[in-house]
């Protein structure tokens, strides 16, 4: 059927014929009935449907609106002459698929050539697409909300974990600080008393006694270096080691490092050689840490080299890479390729046989690597079993630093003369061994001594005796050294008295706290007594008489 | 095949067997898509993979799965999105089947990448019609049987479908006789 929705009108606008589909959905629209009882024109102002109107509409679309249902018909009119007839062809105007059901129309009611059904189906497809897009957006929103919640929960958990970590780090720092103090305090006594004994401050020693004391001092020094290494590794691990970078003389650092091992090397009949690159006289580095690295490497070289062997310290600059390579080359036992990988792990010693023969903690190389990395450098190892090893520390270096002069000073010896007239030094320390060790040494070197065992006593002693210099321990009962220094600095009579802070705590920030409180210098215990005397003398020389 | 088909398989497994089973089917088929887009084209191999995996996971034969899918397609999926359109395709089972060839022509027009099957009708009696099914996709005749069963259920009209030609067995297409009403006793 070509036009299932058609109808034909006579001149009076009565129905003459009607299409099958239209007849089914508008059963009252029968032959002879006036169209006006079934449909009206849907356009406003065009209420009258008559021949005159239709004549003008042959080229226009005419929309009829059902008076009894929601049906709209979009029609075209064809004029037929003799007799005069008006044939309307078209199809229902549908905006949504569900109107099919409402109007009781099935797809088969439409002519095959009518694209209304297709358009409805396209529209439905678009609706489904839109619905799915909407669903997808909702799903994404929900996922986003879920994710936000997860992020919030994770952030909360991380915050808690961070707090816990901070607490753990603080505990670790506290532990290190305490251990540092606990280990250094007895060491201070061991080293200080050994030094005094060696210098016959407590009387003459026989040869056997002197040798024993030397062994005690050496063991104490070894223990001290281990404690220091451990603390340094802990500090680097906690990211709390700051480098004190300055223009440093390469030659001086190398020579100072070699001095540490010369004694043992000579004993073992190992030859020592220093080969310096004349183009690299200075480097921007932390002098103390650089020396620490080299001493570590040189000590290992001497330790693992048999008598009659050689150890060479060699520097070589590379202008293109802007690096300075400092190599320690030995003719020692060498390291296998497999063992080289384990070398830089802390507490690793290569094999038990070697460790029994060459004792050590295995901390040294790990520390060297970490210090080199802190400088922005690296460490390389080349070795063959039985031939020897070459450890090379590569550090950032620039040619421009070589023109600058190294900032080194020499301290002079001073004869103090009669002890009864020597400078009066206050030693404030709650540890009796420290008091007597330092006190005895200073007395033996012509100083006069007064003692205090806590901060309050120290303040009183300064006010009562007006000493020329104060050695102030930091950890003391009743009042600590920091508070005592602060109190003294607020007194205008003692605001310029030289105060050297001495502490067994060697944690980050200690030095700053002491200096901030008003100390002139900071020294971590155990102090080298000879050096302490030099420091006191130097400080006294540079201090104006009060 | 269009995503709506894969989506229908997803819905069928999820509704009738549970979300876990659907995840298992996807895993088995190696499919990592979370939601299929109805009017997006997907490779036929993906659909066949899902049917194969569903068969293994659910312990049903591929024929059972395809038949169930055919019914489900008419009664659930197509009805969800195209329900009004589908129910307007005929006032009864006979009219619907008569219109099926035209319906698929129109579908092909709207979804140019769908490559829908072609239906023809012949030997129309009052309550019986022979349906000819032409498709380039092999092995789906059980799904067609499920579709006819679903349509009969949609019109609440008991019907039987008998396949009389088999493409799998060398015929040039599949052919089915659908009977309802008194014709079922003939």
């Amino acid at each position: 059927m070509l036009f299932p929705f058609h109808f034909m009108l006579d001149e009076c606008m009565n129905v003459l014929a009607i299409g099958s589909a239209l007849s089914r959905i508008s059963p009252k629209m029968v032959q002879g009935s006036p169209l006006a009882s079934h449909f009206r024109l849907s356009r406003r102002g065009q209420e009258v449907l008559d021949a005159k109107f239709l004549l003008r509409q042959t080229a226009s679309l005419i929309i009829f609106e059902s008076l009894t249902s929601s049906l709209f018909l979009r029609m075209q009119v064809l004029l037929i002459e003799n007799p005069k007839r008006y044939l309307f062809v078209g199809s229902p105007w549908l905006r949504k698929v569900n109107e099919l059901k409402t109007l009781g129309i099935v797809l088969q009611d439409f002519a095959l050539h009518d694209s209304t059904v297709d358009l409805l189906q396209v529209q439905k497809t678009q609706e489904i697409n839109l619905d799915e897009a909407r669903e997808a957006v909702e799903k994404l929103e929900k996922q986003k909300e879920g994710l936000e919640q997860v992020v919030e929960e994770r952030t909360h958990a991380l915050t808690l974990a961070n707090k816990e970590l901070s607490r753990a780090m603080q505990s670790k720092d506290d532990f290190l600080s305490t251990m540092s103090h606990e280990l250094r305090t007895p060491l201070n006594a061991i080293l200080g008393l050994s030094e005094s004994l060696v210098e016959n401050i407590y009387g003459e020693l026989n040869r056997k006694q002197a040798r024993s004391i030397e062994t005690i001092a050496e063991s104490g020094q070894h223990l001290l270096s281990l404690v220091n290494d451990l603390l340094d590794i802990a500090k680097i691990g906690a990211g709390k080691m700051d480098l004190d970078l300055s223009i440093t003389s390469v030659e001086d650092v190398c020579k100072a490092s070699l001095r540490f091992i010369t004694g043992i090397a000579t004993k073992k009949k190992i030859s020592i050689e220093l080969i310096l690159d004349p183009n690299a006289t200075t480097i921007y580095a932390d002098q103390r840490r650089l020396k620490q690295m080299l001493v570590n490497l040189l000590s290992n070289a001497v330790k693992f080299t048999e008598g009659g062997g050689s150890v060479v310290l060699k520097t070589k600059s590379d202008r293109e890479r802007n690096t300075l390579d400092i190599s320690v080359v030995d003719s020692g036992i060498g390291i296998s390729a497999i063992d080289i990988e384990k070398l830089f792990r802390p507490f690793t010693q290569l094999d038990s046989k070697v460790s029994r023969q060459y004792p050590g903690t295995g901390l040294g190389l790990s520390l060297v690597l970490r210090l080199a990395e802190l400088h922005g450098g690296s460490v390389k190892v080349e070795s063959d079993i039985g031939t020897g090893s070459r450890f090379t520390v590569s550090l950032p270096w620039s040619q421009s630093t070589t023109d600058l002069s190294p900032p080194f000073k020499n301290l002079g010896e001073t004869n103090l003369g009669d002890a009864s007239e020597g400078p009066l030094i206050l030693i404030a320390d709650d540890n009796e061994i420290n008091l007597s060790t330092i006190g005895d040494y200073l007395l033996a070197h012509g100083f006069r001594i007064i003692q205090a065992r806590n901060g309050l006593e120290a303040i009183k002693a300064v006010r009562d005796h007006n000493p020329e210099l104060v050695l102030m321990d930091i950890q003391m009962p009743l009042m600590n050294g920091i508070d005592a220094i602060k109190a003294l600095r607020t007194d205008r009579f003692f605001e310029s008295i030289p105060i050297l802070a001495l502490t067994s705590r060697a944690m980050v920030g200690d030095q700053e706290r002491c200096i901030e409180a008003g100390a002139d210098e900071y020294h971590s215990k155990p102090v080298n007594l000879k050096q302490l005397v030099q420091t006191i003398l130097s400080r006294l020389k540079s201090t104006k008489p009060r | 095949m269009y995503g709506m088909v894969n989506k229908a398989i997803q819905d069928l497994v999820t509704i009738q067997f549970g979300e876990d089973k659907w995840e298992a089917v996807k895993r088995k088929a190696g499919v990592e898509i979370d939601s299929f887009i109805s009017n997006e084209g997907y490779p036929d191999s993906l659909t066949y993979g899902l049917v194969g995996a569903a068969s293994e996971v659910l312990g049903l034969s591929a024929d059972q799965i395809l038949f169930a899918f055919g019914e489900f397609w008419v009664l659930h999926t197509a009805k969800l999105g195209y329900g009004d359109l589908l129910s307007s395709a005929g006032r009864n089972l006979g009219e619907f089947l008569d219109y099926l060839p035209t319906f698929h022509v129109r579908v092909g027009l709207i979804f140019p990448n769908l490559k829908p099957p072609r239906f023809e009708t012949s030997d129309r009696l009052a309550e019986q019609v022979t349906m000819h099914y032409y498709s380039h996709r092999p092995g789906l005749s059980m799904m067609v049987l499920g579709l006819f069963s679903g349509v009969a259920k949609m019109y609440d009209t008991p019907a039987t479908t008998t396949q009389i030609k088999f493409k799998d067995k060398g015929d040039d297409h599949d052919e089915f006789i659908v009977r309802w009403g008194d014709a079922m006793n003939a």
Side-chain angles (χ1 to χ4, degrees):
Chain A
M1 199 177 310
L2 277 177
F3 299 106
F5 292 96
H6 83 274
F7 59 86
M8 190 184 284
L9 304 179
D10 62 16
E11 279 184 293
C12 301
M13 303 293 126
N14 291 324
V15 176
L16 284 176
I18 184 166
S20 59
L22 186 57
S23 166
R24 195 175 51 74
I25 59 174
S26 300
K28 287 183 182 171
M29 194 174 169
V30 293
Q31 200 173 5
S33 62
L35 180 71
S37 63
H38 311 293
F39 287 97
R40 67 179 174 205
L41 289 166
S42 78
R43 290 172 68 186
R44 285 179 189 174
Q46 301 289 353
E47 297 293 335
V48 183
L49 180 73
D50 54 18
K52 200 176 160 192
F53 168 73
L54 288 177
L55 271 174
R56 295 198 307 272
Q57 301 304 318
T58 51
S60 298
L61 202 58
I62 305 169
I63 310 294
F64 288 106
E65 189 179 346
S66 170
L67 296 175
T68 56
S69 71
S70 56
L71 176 67
F72 283 79
L73 291 172
R74 53 193 299 284
M75 308 299 264
Q76 180 176 0
V77 66
L78 300 167
L79 303 182
I80 301 169
E81 298 292 342
N82 300 323
K84 210 159 211 158
R85 299 283 184 262
Y86 302 95
L87 174 64
F88 291 84
V89 291
S91 64
W93 168 238
L94 301 170
R95 280 156 298 185
K96 290 202 167 174
V97 176
N98 58 10
E99 288 179 74
L100 283 170
K101 206 171 178 180
T102 312
L103 294 168
I105 302 172
V106 293
L107 301 181
Q108 283 173 312
D109 289 335
F110 291 89
L112 290 175
H113 62 79
D114 192 342
S115 62
T116 303
V117 175
D118 305 309
L119 291 175
L120 286 174
Q121 207 154 335
V122 167
Q123 187 208 30
K124 187 66 199 172
T125 304
Q126 299 299 350
E127 263 178 38
I128 288 174
N129 287 347
L130 270 175
D131 286 346
E132 279 184 5
R134 224 171 276 136
E135 266 174 38
V137 168
E138 275 171 24
K139 206 171 169 182
L140 279 173
E141 284 291 330
K142 271 184 193 163
Q143 278 177 346
K144 194 179 146 199
E145 279 170 26
L147 274 176
E148 278 170 2
Q149 199 177 335
V150 168
V151 167
E152 206 172 297
E153 284 168 6
R154 294 269 160 86
T155 308
H156 182 64
L158 274 175
T159 309
L160 289 179
N162 271 337
K163 276 184 187 167
E164 196 51 44
L165 191 63
S166 294
R167 267 201 294 273
M169 291 296 284
Q170 187 57 48
S171 300
K172 186 183 159 196
D173 284 353
D174 291 346
F175 174 75
L176 283 171
S177 169
T178 308
M179 284 306 292
S180 162
H181 178 260
E182 295 302 324
L183 291 170
R184 282 164 187 259
T185 301
L187 271 175
N188 195 30
I190 292 168
L191 293 173
L193 286 172
S194 304
E195 213 171 329
S196 297
L197 284 167
V198 167
E199 291 189 22
N200 294 326
I201 284 166
Y202 297 113
E204 284 291 323
L205 299 177
N206 64 35
R207 214 172 145 190
K208 208 170 171 183
Q209 285 170 330
R211 193 177 296 161
S212 302
I213 294 299
E214 271 172 25
T215 307
I216 291 171
E218 273 172 22
S219 301
Q221 280 297 348
H222 181 62
L223 194 54
L224 179 62
S225 67
L226 293 182
V227 170
N228 287 337
D229 282 359
L230 257 176
L231 283 170
D232 284 346
I233 282 183
K235 273 190 216 170
I236 295 173
K240 288 187 172 179
M241 181 177 277
D242 294 321
L243 293 179
D244 182 13
L245 296 168
S246 62
I247 297 186
T248 302
S249 160
V250 176
E251 184 177 356
D252 285 352
V253 173
C254 288
K255 282 183 174 169
S257 305
L258 283 171
R259 274 199 292 277
F260 267 84
I261 53 130
T262 305
I264 309 166
T266 309
K267 263 186 205 169
K268 286 181 78 176
K269 294 194 171 65
I270 294 169
S271 70
I272 301 285
E273 193 182 355
L274 174 62
I275 304 170
L276 290 168
D277 181 345
N279 296 318
T281 54
T282 59
I283 185 168
Y284 192 64
D286 184 322
Q287 186 183 323
R288 188 162 81 90
R289 299 300 178 188
L290 179 54
K291 195 165 101 180
Q292 194 176 358
M293 285 188 262
L294 297 185
V295 167
N296 254 309
L297 294 178
L298 286 165
S299 301
N300 275 349
V302 171
K303 185 159 83 176
F304 294 108
T305 300
E306 298 295 328
S310 65
V311 171
V312 180
L313 179 59
K314 189 178 177 183
T315 65
K316 183 156 179 47
S317 62
D318 185 329
R319 285 187 195 187
E320 281 183 14
R321 283 166 54 226
N322 276 332
T323 53
L324 177 69
D325 287 352
I326 310 176
S327 302
V328 174
V329 188
D330 66 52
S331 60
I333 58 171
I335 310 155
S336 71
I338 299 167
D339 285 340
I340 284 178
E341 288 176 22
K342 303 181 201 163
L343 265 182
F344 295 99
R345 293 182 202 156
F347 306 106
T348 300
Q349 283 221 301
L350 297 183
D351 73 48
S352 54
K353 213 169 90 189
V354 172
S355 63
R356 272 197 303 277
Q357 199 180 344
Y358 308 97
T361 56
L363 284 173
L365 284 177
S366 171
L367 189 59
V368 170
L369 176 65
R370 289 172 196 214
L371 287 172
E373 285 173 347
L374 263 185
H375 276 85
S378 61
V379 182
K380 194 171 77 179
V381 189
E382 299 152 273
S383 187
D384 282 316
I385 293 280
T387 310
S389 307
R390 171 194 285 262
F391 284 78
T392 303
V393 177
S394 285
L395 299 176
W397 169 83
S398 166
Q399 173 70 30
S400 59
T401 58
T402 58
D403 302 330
L404 300 165
S405 304
F408 292 107
K409 293 185 271 189
N410 288 317
L411 289 169
E413 293 284 339
T414 304
N415 187 359
L416 287 165
D418 187 356
S420 61
E421 293 171 7
L424 181 65
I425 308 293
L426 166 65
I427 308 171
D429 200 316
D430 61 324
N431 186 298
E432 291 298 332
I433 299 170
N434 284 346
L435 280 174
S436 66
T437 306
I438 298 172
D440 288 352
Y441 194 87
L442 292 182
L443 277 172
H445 284 78
F447 294 92
R448 289 177 299 137
I449 298 299
I450 49 171
Q451 296 177 338
R453 284 165 180 78
N454 59 56
L456 292 172
E457 279 186 21
I459 294 168
K460 187 172 183 307
V462 170
R463 286 181 178 149
D464 293 348
H465 302 285
N466 191 18
E468 283 164 77
L469 185 140
V470 178
L471 297 176
M472 183 78 80
D473 183 31
I474 297 304
Q475 276 188 310
M476 288 189 293
L478 297 176
M479 179 186 276
N480 65 36
I482 300 264
D483 291 341
I485 295 170
K486 281 180 185 168
L488 287 171
R489 289 303 186 218
T490 54
D491 188 327
R492 67 186 179 87
F493 289 106
F494 306 112
E495 62 188 6
S496 60
I497 184 172
I499 303 176
L500 309 186
L502 303 179
T503 178
S504 303
R505 292 163 57 93
M507 295 308 292
V508 172
D510 279 357
Q511 182 169 359
E512 288 75 11
R513 275 195 291 279
C514 292
I515 302 296
E516 265 173 36
D520 295 287
E521 282 185 34
Y522 164 93
H523 295 271
S524 68
K525 290 194 276 189
V527 288
N528 179 307
L529 293 172
K530 200 182 275 180
Q531 221 167 45
L532 179 66
V533 167
Q534 293 297 334
T535 306
I536 292 171
L537 290 172
S538 163
R539 186 53 68 176
L540 291 176
K541 270 169 75 179
S542 62
T543 307
K544 287 178 188 171
R546 288 177 297 119
Chain B
M1 235 176 282
Y2 268 66
M4 63 182 85
V5 176
N6 301 323
K7 208 169 179 174
I9 298 174
Q10 176 178 357
D11 288 348
L12 169 69
V13 176
T14 307
I15 292 169
Q16 296 190 1
F17 300 94
E19 188 75 40
D20 292 351
K21 292 287 181 193
W22 171 243
E23 288 303 322
V25 168
K26 273 207 307 177
R27 266 200 305 280
K28 188 98 196 161
V31 173
E32 290 179 353
I33 298 164
D34 273 340
S35 339
F36 295 104
I37 300 165
S38 291
N39 298 310
E40 184 81 28
Y42 294 88
D44 282 2
S45 57
L46 190 149
T47 311
Y48 282 108
L50 286 174
V51 172
S55 166
E56 278 190 55
V57 170
L58 304 174
L60 298 168
S61 69
D63 280 354
Q64 283 173 305
I65 298 275
L66 285 169
F67 185 87
F69 172 72
E71 272 199 340
F72 188 82
W73 173 256
V74 176
L75 296 172
H76 182 83
T77 311
K79 221 172 175 179
L80 264 186
Y82 300 91
D84 289 332
L85 212 57
L86 203 68
S87 57
S88 301
R91 278 176 290 266
N92 52 51
L93 176 60
E95 276 189 12
F96 185 95
L97 294 175
D98 290 339
Y99 189 66
L100 207 54
T102 305
F103 191 83
H104 277 81
V105 172
R106 290 188 188 280
V107 167
L109 204 62
I110 293 161
F111 303 111
N113 299 321
L114 183 62
K115 294 177 194 157
R118 181 160 64 84
F119 280 96
E120 282 176 10
T121 58
S122 69
D123 307 304
R124 181 72 158 93
L125 300 173
E127 292 176 321
Q128 178 178 319
V129 65
T130 300
M131 302 296 300
H132 303 260
Y133 170 72
Y134 300 86
S135 173
H136 69 283
R137 296 185 176 95
L140 297 180
S141 56
M142 279 309 286
M143 189 181 88
V144 179
L145 283 165
L147 285 169
F148 290 145
S149 171
V151 174
K153 283 181 180 172
M154 186 172 79
Y155 285 102
D156 206 13
T157 303
T160 58
T161 307
T162 312
Q163 185 165 1
I164 53 170
K165 278 192 179 176
F166 299 83
K167 196 180 174 189
D168 295 350
K169 293 177 183 170
D171 292 323
D172 67 329
H173 69 283
D174 293 298
E175 208 170 299
F176 307 85
I177 298 176
V178 186
R179 296 184 180 92
W180 62 97
D182 292 339
M184 284 200 297
N185 305 318

